[in-house]
Amino acid sequence: MACIVKQKVGNNTYLYESTSYRNSEGKPRNKRCLIGKINRETGDPVYKPEY
Protein backbone atom coordinates (compact mmCIF):
# COMPACT_ATOMS: atom_id res chain seq x y z
CA MET A 1 0.00 0.00 0.00
CA ALA A 2 1.41 3.40 -0.97
CA CYS A 3 0.71 6.84 0.45
CA ILE A 4 2.07 10.36 0.02
CA VAL A 5 4.11 11.74 2.94
CA LYS A 6 5.13 15.38 3.53
CA GLN A 7 8.49 16.04 5.18
CA LYS A 8 9.84 19.48 6.04
CA VAL A 9 13.59 19.91 5.50
CA GLY A 10 14.93 23.39 6.23
CA ASN A 11 12.61 25.89 4.50
CA ASN A 12 11.19 23.40 1.98
CA THR A 13 8.51 20.74 2.29
CA TYR A 14 9.11 17.66 0.15
CA LEU A 15 6.64 15.03 -1.04
CA TYR A 16 7.49 11.33 -0.91
CA GLU A 17 5.63 8.24 -2.05
CA SER A 18 5.96 5.73 0.79
CA THR A 19 5.45 2.01 0.19
CA SER A 20 5.14 -0.33 3.19
CA TYR A 21 6.30 -3.96 3.15
CA ARG A 22 7.66 -6.66 5.43
CA ASN A 23 11.28 -7.80 5.16
CA SER A 24 12.49 -11.42 5.17
CA GLU A 25 12.37 -11.47 8.99
CA GLY A 26 8.75 -10.33 9.00
CA LYS A 27 9.47 -6.85 10.36
CA PRO A 28 7.60 -3.87 8.84
CA ARG A 29 9.67 -1.53 6.67
CA ASN A 30 8.98 1.18 4.11
CA LYS A 31 10.60 2.64 1.02
CA ARG A 32 10.34 6.31 0.10
CA CYS A 33 10.66 7.84 -3.33
CA LEU A 34 10.89 11.62 -3.83
CA ILE A 35 8.05 12.81 -6.09
CA GLY A 36 8.15 16.62 -5.67
CA LYS A 37 7.87 19.50 -3.25
CA ILE A 38 5.41 22.14 -2.04
CA ASN A 39 5.69 25.64 -3.53
CA ARG A 40 6.27 27.98 -0.56
CA GLU A 41 4.43 30.93 -2.12
CA THR A 42 1.26 29.21 -3.35
CA GLY A 43 1.18 26.03 -1.26
CA ASP A 44 0.59 23.92 -4.38
CA PRO A 45 2.50 20.69 -5.00
CA VAL A 46 5.15 20.74 -7.75
CA TYR A 47 5.71 17.17 -8.98
CA LYS A 48 8.80 15.82 -10.72
CA PRO A 49 8.25 15.17 -14.47
CA GLU A 50 8.88 11.41 -14.00
CA TYR A 51 6.01 11.15 -11.53
Side-chain angles (χ1 to χ4, degrees):
M1 183 171 161
C3 64
I4 295 179
V5 178
K6 294 180 185 178
Q7 182 177 5
K8 185 167 177 128
V9 179
N11 292 334
N12 295 318
T13 302
Y14 293 97
L15 299 171
Y16 293 91
E17 182 179 40
S18 177
T19 304
S20 299
Y21 67 97
R22 291 193 178 262
N23 65 6
S24 60
E25 299 171 0
K27 295 183 178 180
R29 300 281 185 236
N30 63 15
K31 290 184 181 181
R32 283 187 174 184
C33 179
L34 180 66
I35 59 173
K37 68 180 187 177
I38 301 290
N39 185 339
R40 283 190 273 162
E41 297 169 358
T42 62
D44 294 332
V46 178
Y47 295 105
K48 291 173 65 174
E50 307 87 58
Y51 186 73

